[in-house]
Each structure stands twice: as structure tokens, then as C-alpha cells.
């Protein structure tokens, strides 16, 4: 039963990521080209949808510690199905906005619950962490496939794409019912919670956990830096290469996607003997180095290519450690609350266009990449503080237990 649920979560990860990264660019194209919605209006609504998704994820992540994971997961699947039904009405801007909003809320429900189910699936920490790394890989696969479907196929056949996506979601929901109800009446994650004792103050405990909240701050900053490659970099290249910025940009984004997908498992095996702290520090250092290289770049391609390769390797090393670190910090009966709050790191990606745009327009490229370098180095320093606080907490726990 537990193995079946974890396998289902892995499959659902691909569906959730594909649908999310398919819906956003596709709906944006429809709204701007066909329904003549303004960029400010579209941007504001998309930001509100993302913010609502993260807040919902934090709340229901905590709630899942009390009522069980599978109920929340089922609700997320139903919301996804409803969103695709609504999105088939592509000639109505209001319904498209509602569909995107519901799809975002569904992602907010599914993402933290999926991590919580994996985190509660085994007492073997090494096995759990292997599953979390595998899920991160599947997230990247889904994120790579989604925009391709949305932009190259979906715009011409939007109704058909949304209809097929809805049918796939319906199939997944039927399978979800079979997995969760077909074998046992009580979902395994709920029985595990019962053994530990249901916790009604998971959100409060997560918000008062200093190492965890510092980790969240670090992850927000990391996402604000990483978001520049998707949002601000195209503007920079348009200034440096006014005749044809798309060639270099396409190459950089392709390299980024290829390195993330192809090198995750080889690098993971290579660094498997290293501690989690070493891997996180190494990834952050590479991220800082990439920003410093962008600082030196000009209209030539070399520095940009070297910078994006280093950034991509840093992402492969660093990003899987995020969910693993949360798993290690979260008590067994508060996994939902911790993973729900941890999803708030995506606010960094949400504010990255504002931060990058202000630095670029008001101060120029030097301050943009210089600021990102300094911010990443600050994250590296904060990580050392997190490790120190974590060690002190462990020592206090041993003292209280009479060790």
C-alpha cells in the first residue's frame, strides 16, 4: 500500500509539473494575443495566483498533519480536473483566469503533500532521500515538457490539449481512489501520524523553528537569484545583442535544461560520500561563481556560456538538498506543516522579476549581477549559521534525554 502510494505520487509529480508549466505560458499567449489583455493585468493576476497557491499549500500542509495526507491530495486532484474543464472555454478571459487560479491552487495542495507522503514513507533516511531526489528529477522532466506542449502544440490546439489533460487527470484520480481505498481503509501516512501523535500546532512550531525559518529565507534568496536567468537575462541580452539575442538565449536555456536532466544522477553518485552540508555549500558557491562570471560578461558568448554551465551544475547539486534538509528538520508528525511552509521559497521566484528589473533599469548590469553575487554569498554565510543552530539543538536534545 505504502509503496503504491509513493509510486503514485511520483507519477503525479510529472502530471502536476507538466500541467503547471503548460498552462501558464499557453494561457498567457491566449490572453495577450487573442483576447488582448494587457501585460500588467496578466502579470498581476499570475502573481496573485502564485501567492494564493503558496499560502494554500502552507495552510493545508499543516492541516494534513491532523486529517491525513490522502484527503488533501485527493482534493488537489479534483481541483486540477475542474481547472482543465474550465480552461476548455478559451474565448472567455474571466474563465481562463479562474482556470489558472484553480490550477495553481491544486499545485499548492499537491506539492507539499507529495513531499510529506515520501517523507513519512520510510524510517530509512537514506531511502527517503533517494526518493526525494528522484521526485526532484521528475519535477525537472515535467518542467521541461510542459512549456513545449503549451507553446508549440497548445496554442494551435488549446481546447484539445486541455481536454486531454483533463482526461489524464480523471484517470489519475480513479487510480488514486484505487490506491488509497482498494487495499486498506486507513492510509499508511495517517497510521504513521497516529503512532507519533497528531499535532495541531505544526504551523506554529514550523514558524518558530529558527534553523528552519533561516533555511526558508536562504531558499527564497536562492530562488530570487536563480529567477534572473528566466526573467531578467532575456532583457540583458536584448540590450547587449539588439540584432539577435534569441540565439544565445536559446543556447543558454537549452544547456541549462540538458545539464539539469542529464547530470543529476551522475553528480549525485559522485557526491554521495559527501555530507548534505558540503553539497549545499558547494552548490551555493557555484551559484555565486556563476553570478560573478555574468558580471564579467559582455556581448561575446563565452562568459555567458561558462556562467550558465556553472549555474546549472550548482542547481543540480543544491536544489535536491532543499527538500532533504526540510525532511531532516521536520518532526515525523509535522511533515505536512514543514513542507507546506517550505513551499513559500517560491516567493523568491515571484519577486525576482521586480528585484532584477529595478536593479537593471535603475543601476545597470553591473549592480544586477554584483547584487546577485553578494546575495548568494550572504546565503552561504546563513547556511553556516543554520548548521550551527542545528548542531546546538541536537546537543540540547541529547542533554535533555540524559545522554
Amino acid at each position: 500500500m505504502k509503496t503504491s502510494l509513493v509510486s503514485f505520487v511520483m507519477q503525479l509529480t510529472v502530471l502536476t509539473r507538466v500541467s503547471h508549466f503548460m498552462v501558464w505560458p499557453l494561457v498567457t499567449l491566449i490572453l495577450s494575443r487573442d483576447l488582448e489583455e494587457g501585460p500588467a493585468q496578466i502579470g498581476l493576476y499570475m502573481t496573485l495566483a502564485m501567492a494564493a497557491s503558496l499560502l494554500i499549500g502552507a495552510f493545508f500542509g499543516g492541516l494534513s498533519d491532523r486529517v491525513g495526507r490522502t484527503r488533501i491530495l485527493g482534493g488537489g486532484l479534483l481541483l486540477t480536473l475542474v481547472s482543465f474543464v474550465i480552461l476548455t472555454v478559451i474565448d472567455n478571459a474571466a474563465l481562463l483566469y479562474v482556470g489558472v487560479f484553480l490550477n495553481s491552487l491544486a499545485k499548492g495542495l499537491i506539492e507539499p503533500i507529495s513531499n510529506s507522503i515520501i517523507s513519512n514513507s520510510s524510517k530509512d533516511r537514506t531511502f527517503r532521500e533517494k526518493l526525494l531526489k528522484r521526485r526532484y528529477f521528475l519535477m525537472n522532466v515535467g518542467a521541461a515538457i510542459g512549456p513545449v506542449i503549451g507553446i508549440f502544440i497548445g496554442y494551435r490546439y488549446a481546447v484539445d490539449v486541455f481536454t486531454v489533460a483533463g482526461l489524464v487527470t480523471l484517470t489519475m484520480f480513479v487510480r488514486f481512489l484505487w490506491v488509497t481505498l482498494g487495499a486498506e481503509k486507513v492510509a499508511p501516512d495517517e497510521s504513521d501520524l497516529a503512532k507519533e501523535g497528531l499535532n495541531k500546532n505544526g504551523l506554529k512550531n514550523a514558524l518558530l523553528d529558527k534553523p528552519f525559518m533561516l533555511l526558508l529565507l536562504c531558499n527564497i534568496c536562492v530562488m530570487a537569484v536563480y529567477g534572473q536567468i528566466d526573467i531578467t537575462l532575456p532583457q540583458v541580452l536584448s540590450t547587449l545583442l539588439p540584432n539577435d539575442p534569441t540565439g544565445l538565449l536559446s543556447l543558454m536555456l537549452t544547456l541549462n535544461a540538458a545539464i539539469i536532466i542529464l547530470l543529476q544522477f551522475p553528480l549525485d553518485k559522485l557526491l554521495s560520500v559527501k555530507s548534505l552540508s558540503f553539497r549545499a555549500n558547494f552548490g551555493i558557491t557555484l551559484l555565486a561563481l556563476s553570478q560573478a562570471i555574468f558580471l564579467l560578461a559582455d556581448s561575446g558568448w563565452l562568459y555567458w556560456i561558462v556562467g550558465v554551465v556553472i549555474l546549472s551544475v550548482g542547481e543540480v547539486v543544491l536544489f535536491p538538498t532543499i527538500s532533504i534538509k526540510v525532511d531532516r528538520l521536520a518532526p515525523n508528525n509535522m511533515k505536512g506543516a514543514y513542507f507546506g511552509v517550505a513551499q513559500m521559497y517560491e516567493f523568491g521566484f515571484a519577486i525576482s522579476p521586480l528585484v532584477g528589473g529595478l536593479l537593471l533599469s535603475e543601476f545597470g548590469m553591473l549592480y544586477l549581477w554584483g547584487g546577485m553575487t553578494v546575495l548568494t554569498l550572504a546565503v552561504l554565510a546563513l547556511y553556516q549559521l543554520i548548521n550551527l543552530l542545528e548542531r546546538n539543538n541536537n546537543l540540547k536534545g541529547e542533554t535533555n534525554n540524559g545522554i
Side-chain angles (χ1 to χ4, degrees), residues 329-342:
L329 290 173
N332 285 339
N333 60 340
M334 301 182 201
K335 298 288 189 182
Y338 272 69
F339 276 109
V341 175

Side-chain angles (χ1 to χ4, degrees), residues 131-179:
L131 290 176
L132 289 169
K133 291 174 188 175
R134 189 178 301 168
R135 183 171 184 271
Y136 171 73
F137 173 77
L138 293 174
M139 288 168 62
N140 285 324
V141 171
I145 295 173
V148 174
I149 298 174
I151 295 174
F152 295 106
I153 302 174
Y155 184 64
R156 182 173 296 180
Y157 307 103
V159 174
D160 295 330
V161 168
F162 288 139
T163 301
V164 171
L167 292 173
V168 172
T169 305
L170 178 61
T171 303
M172 289 293 288
F173 183 73
V174 172
R175 186 165 186 274
F176 164 78
L177 293 177
W178 182 82
V179 169

Side-chain angles (χ1 to χ4, degrees), residues 69-324:
R69 319 280 188 226
T70 52
R71 297 177 185 178
I72 309 297
L73 192 65
L77 268 169
L78 280 177
L79 266 184
T80 304
L81 178 59
V82 172
S83 73
F84 283 128
V85 172
I86 293 174
L87 286 169
T88 56
V89 187
I90 62 171
D91 59 350
N92 186 304
L95 287 179
L96 285 176
Y97 281 128
V98 171
V100 169
F101 191 78
L102 292 180
N103 194 272
S104 298
L105 291 186
K107 177 177 174 289
L109 292 176
I110 292 171
E111 291 280 328
I113 302 304
S114 297
N115 276 329
S116 302
I117 288 173
I118 292 172
S119 189
N120 280 131
S121 66
S122 173
K123 293 181 180 180
D124 184 341
R125 190 172 78 176
T126 302
F127 181 68
R128 290 200 312 268
E129 293 179 359
K130 186 182 293 185
L131 290 176
L132 289 169
K133 291 174 188 175
R134 189 178 301 168
R135 183 171 184 271
Y136 171 73
F137 173 77
L138 293 174
M139 288 168 62
N140 285 324
V141 171
I145 295 173
V148 174
I149 298 174
I151 295 174
F152 295 106
I153 302 174
Y155 184 64
R156 182 173 296 180
Y157 307 103
V159 174
D160 295 330
V161 168
F162 288 139
T163 301
V164 171
L167 292 173
V168 172
T169 305
L170 178 61
T171 303
M172 289 293 288
F173 183 73
V174 172
R175 186 165 186 274
F176 164 78
L177 293 177
W178 182 82
V179 169
T180 55
L181 302 178
E184 300 175 10
K185 291 183 179 179
V186 179
D189 55 295
E190 293 177 35
S191 62
D192 286 347
L193 292 175
K195 293 175 186 176
E196 298 289 340
L198 294 177
N199 196 291
K200 297 182 179 180
N201 298 310
L203 282 176
K204 180 180 178 181
N205 289 340
L207 294 173
L208 294 176
D209 187 328
K210 290 182 181 179
F212 173 70
M213 292 308 294
L214 281 175
L215 176 68
L216 176 59
L217 176 61
C218 287
N219 293 338
I220 289 173
C221 293
V222 165
M223 290 305 294
V225 173
Y226 182 75
Q228 304 307 322
I229 192 174
D230 290 319
I231 309 296
T232 314
L233 179 62
Q235 302 174 56
V236 172
L237 295 183
S238 294
T239 302
L240 291 174
L241 305 168
N243 293 328
D244 184 23
T246 57
L248 177 57
L249 180 61
S250 299
L251 178 58
M252 291 178 70
L253 294 179
T254 301
L255 279 173
N256 177 248
I259 289 172
I260 290 170
I261 293 175
L262 296 177
L263 292 189
Q264 180 180 334
F265 291 119
L267 281 174
D268 180 59
K269 185 175 182 179
L270 182 65
L271 297 172
S272 60
V273 296
K274 300 296 184 180
S275 68
L276 184 68
S277 296
F278 175 87
R279 282 177 276 162
N281 290 333
F282 182 48
I284 297 168
T285 301
L286 289 177
L287 184 61
L289 180 60
S290 71
Q291 303 306 298
I293 291 175
F294 288 155
L295 183 64
L296 302 174
D298 51 23
S299 58
W301 285 31
L302 179 61
Y303 282 114
W304 294 112
I305 298 301
V306 172
V308 80
V309 168
I310 293 175
L311 179 142
S312 302
V313 174
E315 179 188 352
V316 171
V317 174
L318 174 62
F319 279 30
T321 69
I322 293 175
S323 56
I324 294 173

